[in-house]
Amino acid sequence: MSDRIEWTRHADGVVELQLARADKMNALDPAMFDALVRAGEALRDDRSVRAVVIAGRGKAFCAGLDMASFERMGQGAASDVLGASAGGTDLVARTHGLSNAAQQVAMVWREVPVPVIAAVHGVAFGGGLQVALGADIRLVAADTRLSVMEIKWGLVPDMAGMVLMRELARTDVVRELTFTGRIFSGEEAVRLGLATRVAADPLAEALQMAHEIAAKSPDAIRAGKRLLNASLAHSAAELLIAESVEQQALIGSPNQVEAVKANIERRAPQFSAPA
């Protein structure tokens, strides 16, 4: 779909996305913005997908906005920073539902109806960190360097970082990282809540997890993600009803019956495409 992202489709429905601008540490240029949004939206509508892994080629996951874009900002010409999907220079305009184009680069992974796992190594700075935060799960190398780096450039996190960080870390932690822009390690990211766990080989472990997820009932996995997304915005009463609606639809459905039979018969399940 783009020279900025390399796709690998595995037979079990796992899709591996590799940011492929290794010579620039996978920094975000207009083509990378466009490629990420297009990839996420394509996967959102693909019923064959069971799990997604996002990683970066070369030495880094993503170094954030590329220097050429900052140079254009410094000259007062930011019109082409986000690429063709941006819908102009008005960031307040909503071009992708609740989001503008920059925010959609991170938020689109919440719209993908299956688990999205980010395998993070090297660096994840600024916008690169926010892309990772959009995933459901983040596996990080212990020595990964991360930063809410926008303050260095006189900016604030604006790729959905405020929405995503508040789900994961205490407000004082988010404030400290936003105000200072300091660099922290993968190990600290786990302690702060911004990463799921440390992995010796984040990509290998992310793929292993994705294949494990792909072996589960796709209907239940998608229902689980819908509920987890809803839990962030709904009241307790609304979420309790949502649980019941999802469970009622699952009980007795073909894939749920197959999960029970496979466990009883001690064999691998043979699930059909998600309903």
Side-chain angles (χ1 to χ4, degrees):
M1 295 179 66
S2 165
D3 62 356
R4 289 292 187 263
I5 296 179
E6 296 177 1
W7 290 58
T8 303
R9 289 183 176 269
H10 298 262
D12 60 355
V14 171
V15 176
E16 178 184 347
L17 301 178
Q18 290 268 3
L19 280 62
R21 201 185 181 207
D23 60 321
K24 300 294 185 181
M25 299 181 74
N26 300 314
L28 298 165
D29 67 346
M32 185 69 85
F33 273 99
D34 286 342
L36 283 164
V37 171
R38 293 177 192 275
E41 292 181 346
L43 292 168
R44 179 189 63 196
D45 301 328
D46 188 340
R47 303 294 292 178
S48 70
V49 177
R50 299 289 184 89
V52 177
V53 172
I54 306 175
R57 290 278 186 216
K59 298 186 295 185
F61 177 76
C62 178
L65 196 63
D66 74 343
M67 288 304 300
S69 296
F70 282 122
E71 289 170 1
R72 289 192 291 273
M73 281 186 185
Q75 297 165 3
S79 60
D80 58 348
V81 168
L82 299 181
S85 64
T89 60
D90 182 5
L91 296 180
V92 177
R94 303 295 89 180
T95 56
H96 296 74
L98 297 176
S99 304
N100 64 23
Q103 293 161 340
Q104 185 71 351
V105 172
M107 291 300 289
V108 71
W109 309 111
R110 296 299 175 89
E111 297 175 8
V112 173
V114 299
V116 178
I117 307 164
V120 185
H121 77 291
V123 303
F125 291 159
L129 173 59
Q130 290 171 86
V131 171
L133 293 176
D136 299 288
I137 297 164
R138 282 156 298 284
L139 304 185
V140 297
D143 61 354
T144 301
R145 295 184 300 148
L146 308 96
S147 173
V148 185
M149 194 168 273
E150 284 77 10
I151 193 63
K152 176 179 178 179
W153 306 102
L155 300 169
V156 295
D158 72 332
M159 290 173 56
M162 292 301 184
V163 170
L164 298 168
M165 286 190 291
R166 73 177 183 180
E167 300 172 4
L168 301 169
R170 296 195 326 252
T171 184
D172 61 320
V173 170
V174 174
R175 289 167 189 262
E176 184 235 339
L177 297 176
T178 300
F179 297 152
T180 67
R182 72 175 179 85
I183 295 171
F184 52 99
S185 70
E187 289 185 331
E188 185 178 0
V190 173
R191 294 197 298 271
L192 296 176
L194 296 178
T196 309
R197 62 177 170 83
V198 167
D201 185 337
L203 178 56
E205 294 191 33
L207 286 170
Q208 180 182 0
M209 183 186 297
H211 290 304
E212 290 176 2
I213 291 168
K216 305 295 193 295
S217 168
D219 295 332
I221 291 292
R222 287 170 177 250
K225 181 155 181 178
R226 284 193 296 269
L227 286 170
L228 289 164
N229 283 345
S231 71
L232 303 171
H234 289 191
S235 68
E238 291 169 327
L239 192 57
L240 288 168
I241 286 291
E243 281 185 3
S244 300
V245 168
E246 295 286 3
Q247 195 76 313
Q248 186 162 286
L250 288 170
I251 293 172
S253 64
N255 280 332
Q256 194 270 326
V257 170
E258 171 61 10
V260 172
K261 287 183 176 179
N263 276 289
I264 291 172
E265 297 168 8
R266 297 184 181 181
R267 59 171 175 80
Q270 299 295 318
F271 294 120
S272 59

